[in-house]
Amino acid sequence: MSDYLTYVWRPVTGGRHAFPIAATKAPAGEPVVAFCGAEADAAELHGRSEVDWVREDTCMRCWHTLAARL
């Protein structure tokens, strides 16, 4: 297992998904893909609030994909 963060959870439209760290560096307007295959605009990964966090459900496909890596 890596000592460095390799993914990040972000509440985007439609759920709280896990994205590769590289997705957080993508410019606004560029599509990014979560571990489950869901796509979002990179702009959605930035500036999210705690309210956004609690309003979105965790994507269980992302969860299971990441759990299988352990």
Side-chain angles (χ1 to χ4, degrees), residues 8-63:
V8 61
W9 287 91
R10 287 292 187 266
V12 298
T13 303
R16 187 171 42 245
H17 293 276
F19 292 88
I21 288 297
T24 64
K25 296 173 173 70
E30 185 173 310
V32 292
V33 180
F35 282 91
C36 69
E39 289 189 22
D41 185 306
E44 288 194 73
L45 303 184
H46 307 288
R48 306 308 294 201
S49 71
E50 288 184 33
V51 173
D52 295 327
W53 184 263
V54 298
R55 285 186 177 163
E56 297 293 346
D57 290 328
T58 297
C59 173
M60 295 312 293
R61 285 186 64 198
C62 284
W63 183 275

Side-chain angles (χ1 to χ4, degrees), residues 7 9 26-27 29 64:
Y7 61 89
W9 287 91
H64 291 296

